[in-house]
Amino acid sequence: MPELPEVETVRAGLEPLIVGKKIRHVTLFRPDLRFPIPKDLPDFLAGREITSVKRYAKFLFFEVDTSAYFVCHLGMTGRFRIEGLGAVAGAAFAHPVPIIAKHDHFACYLADGTALIYNDVRRFGFIEWCDGPIEHYQRLYRFGPEPNSERFSVPYMWRVSKASIGPLKTLLLNQAIIAGLGNIYVCEALFRARLRPTRKANTLTKKQAGALHASVNSVISAAIKAGGSTLNDFAHADGSAGYFQTCLNVYGREGEPCYVCAVPIKRITQSGRSSFFCTNCQK
DNA sequence: CGGTAGACCTGACCGC
DNA sequence: TGCGGTCAGGTCTACC
């Protein structure tokens, strides 16, 4: 579910609640996620301290002992929450508190008696560990630059556009080209750039590639800002609770009037996924 | 090689 | 109330 801004909101919300805390115990309730949670993850984490929470694209990196990470991808429906376990201070840890909710798959019990719990209805998400720097994490090696990063420049946008024969929708969803965009923000960025999702990438003018570059950056930073205003509610950071949703121009608005020209928003399917756009504003 | 379809899951919703 | 079909914001793999 979550795209880069939602994952960033989750990261920022979790950070102050878990950094500096020691992991006492880890329980896997249901390890068969998108990829199985490694059986040795509990042993790997036990006794270590969470030293930071980082993010690249839609991946969360929970750093332990400043040297290794457990990595999580939320897939479509993954969520983290903190449970206060009401532990008595100083009491010896006996047994983990039983699972509380349906679809809880992973619990990380912390030394202060709280627990970091991963819940994922569709189990498209996954949790792995990475012993070493983030750059060594295998799934990132072919990922492209993030929006608003130095490597994601106008010349880069122009170059990858020229090199792609497919539609812009496909180009922007490709994590190897730009890391972190998903269906919603691709639709929104294309609206801002006044370009259709079906437009062949290699037909862009230089000016249009520049507009697309600016749109990708602006829609992502605006969404992060919107999520950032409700950090205390990171559990709902999939966007369903609102936040940036109120700022969406086209996504999910089929048949409703375009805010710019009032022509009804159109929905089409591209390689099995919905694209929303204004037939009048976007060329 | 780039590009595309299918697979992986569960649940919500809509029309009959 | 129940049933079947459709849809959902991601990523990987197999196959042209």
Side-chain angles (χ1 to χ4, degrees):
Chain A
M1 248 159 145
E3 302 179 32
L4 188 156
E6 288 74 27
V7 179
E8 174 57 25
T9 301
V10 171
R11 189 207 65 75
L14 286 175
E15 186 174 47
L17 299 177
I18 63 174
V19 168
K21 295 184 182 175
K22 196 161 182 171
I23 298 169
R24 190 151 54 174
H25 180 84
V26 170
T27 300
L28 310 181
F29 300 116
R30 176 144 194 196
D32 56 329
L33 302 183
R34 176 78 161 86
F35 309 110
I37 302 178
K39 286 193 179 68
D40 53 356
L41 183 68
D43 282 343
F44 177 74
L45 292 178
R48 301 205 193 213
E49 180 187 323
I50 299 175
T51 43
S52 73
V53 187
K54 298 175 181 173
R55 178 194 58 72
Y56 191 89
K58 304 167 193 171
F59 290 84
L60 284 169
F61 293 84
F62 299 84
E63 185 193 55
V64 291
D65 289 351
T66 67
S67 58
Y69 300 86
F70 67 99
V71 187
C72 179
H73 194 295
L74 301 172
M76 302 271 260
T77 52
R79 296 182 178 202
F80 277 106
R81 70 176 193 279
I82 303 288
E83 290 280 344
L85 300 182
V88 178
F93 186 75
H95 301 288
V97 171
I99 184 170
I100 322 114
K102 201 176 175 184
H103 306 303
D104 282 351
H105 307 307
F106 166 98
C108 186
Y109 299 94
L110 304 173
D112 67 347
T114 61
L116 173 68
I117 305 203
Y118 180 70
N119 181 287
D120 190 348
V121 172
R122 289 173 73 181
R123 309 209 310 280
F124 278 11
F126 52 88
I127 298 174
E128 298 176 316
W129 60 269
C130 162
D131 199 358
I134 288 178
E135 300 76 56
H136 289 188
Y137 180 55
Q138 36 139 5
R139 299 193 193 281
L140 279 189
Y141 85 96
R142 58 185 146 175
F143 269 51
E146 290 192 317
N148 294 306
S149 67
E150 206 165 307
R151 281 171 58 215
F152 181 59
S153 62
V154 173
Y156 177 82
M157 187 75 247
W158 169 245
R159 183 156 50 80
V160 296
S161 299
K162 281 291 133 192
S164 172
I165 60 168
L168 286 176
K169 174 68 179 280
T170 305
L171 179 77
L172 297 181
L173 274 179
N174 186 345
Q175 303 296 298
I177 304 291
I178 308 172
L181 295 182
N183 207 25
I184 293 181
Y185 295 117
V186 166
C187 291
E188 294 300 314
L190 287 168
F191 176 80
R192 289 184 181 215
R194 302 177 64 87
L195 294 165
R196 292 196 184 202
T198 50
R199 176 74 174 271
K200 300 292 183 197
N202 59 11
T203 68
L204 291 194
T205 63
K206 223 169 203 174
K207 193 177 172 186
Q208 287 172 325
L212 186 54
H213 170 268
S215 298
V216 166
N217 281 343
S218 74
V219 77
I220 290 300
S221 47
I224 289 176
K225 203 174 170 189
S229 61
T230 49
L231 282 187
N232 54 339
D233 200 13
F234 63 87
H236 298 122
D238 61 342
S240 60
Y243 305 176
F244 194 75
Q245 249 188 358
T246 56
C247 307
L248 298 181
N249 284 298
V250 288
Y251 186 83
R253 297 194 64 241
E254 181 183 14
E256 295 172 40
C258 170
Y259 292 131
V260 173
C261 73
V263 167
I265 299 300
K266 188 170 183 181
R267 180 174 84 97
I268 60 170
T269 300
Q270 288 178 286
S271 55
R273 321 210 46 190
S274 290
S275 292
F276 299 85
F277 65 100
C278 173
T279 54
N280 182 47
C281 292
Q282 294 172 254
K283 307 294 182 190

